[in-house]
Amino acid sequence: MERFLSRVKGLSRFLNLIAGITLAFMMSLTVADIILRFFRRPIIGTFDMVTFSGAVVIGFSIPLTSWVRGHVYVDFLISRFSEKTRNTFNIVTRCLGIGLFVMIGWNLVKYGMDLYKTGEVSPTLQIPFYPIAYGMAICCFAQCLVLLCDILKILGGEYE
């Protein structure tokens, strides 16, 4: 089980690294475009690249954020329950989350296939949309693995 947990954590960290590099690229591109606009030389396609980058940053950062529980978590209600009730509640919510992210991921795969078939591209740079949809689907499936790890940690008594 430890090996599985460490691999899922490694995958989450890798996806987060991609998100971080993309965020740095997005910020650099925006700053460069602003500076070059001052000299009347804007970067063509900045909007396309920033839009795609924003999707990558958000999607690829979700699994690690969930792993470290960096999201907003309100537990004042369930903290009053017994440990067994809290664990049951956490397992049920993780199962619902897995179901949700499986559906989102599967629909993103189908959407990516439709985008590939139609040849949908960005307006300025003609960058295809389908790789972004597939990348987001991968992140949704990685999130399912993170939620599964949460369940394993709860059942193993390692979940704080």
Side-chain angles (χ1 to χ4, degrees):
M1 184 170 89
E2 271 311 307
R3 188 172 169 192
F4 178 70
L5 293 175
S6 67
R7 287 191 183 216
V8 172
K9 184 177 182 181
L11 173 64
S12 299
R13 293 180 111 178
F14 176 71
L15 293 174
N16 198 61
L17 176 67
I18 293 171
I21 291 168
T22 306
L23 179 61
F25 165 75
M26 187 170 64
M27 291 185 323
S28 301
L29 179 65
T30 302
V31 169
D33 186 49
I34 290 169
I35 292 170
L36 290 174
R37 280 181 189 273
F38 180 72
F39 297 108
R40 309 249 190 260
R41 298 270 189 212
I43 299 172
I44 305 299
T46 299
F47 180 77
D48 293 350
M49 290 186 284
V50 168
T51 303
F52 284 153
S53 297
V56 170
V57 168
I58 292 168
F60 281 56
S61 63
I62 289 173
L64 187 65
T65 302
S66 182
W67 184 275
V68 299
R69 287 190 268 159
H71 51 279
V72 175
Y73 183 70
V74 181
D75 65 345
F76 66 90
L77 180 64
I78 66 165
S79 65
R80 297 173 189 226
F81 297 129
S82 68
E83 184 178 352
K84 183 178 179 182
T85 304
R86 282 194 310 265
N87 287 344
T88 303
F89 181 80
N90 284 331
I91 289 172
V92 168
T93 56
R94 296 320 181 267
C95 289
L96 290 172
I98 289 171
L100 175 70
F101 279 100
V102 164
M103 287 191 306
I104 294 170
W106 175 246
N107 281 296
L108 281 167
V109 168
K110 289 179 11 183
Y111 184 58
M113 290 170 26
D114 288 343
L115 290 172
Y116 179 76
K117 287 177 189 172
T118 60
E120 188 79 28
V121 294
S122 65
T124 308
L125 296 177
Q126 304 294 304
I127 301 170
F129 283 123
Y130 73 90
I132 302 299
Y134 288 146
M136 299 299 283
I138 289 169
C139 294
C140 286
F141 296 133
Q143 176 64 14
C144 291
L145 291 174
V146 169
L147 293 171
L148 178 63
C149 287
D150 277 353
I151 293 171
L152 293 174
K153 288 189 264 184
I154 292 167
L155 294 174
E158 299 174 21
Y159 191 79
E160 328 60 66

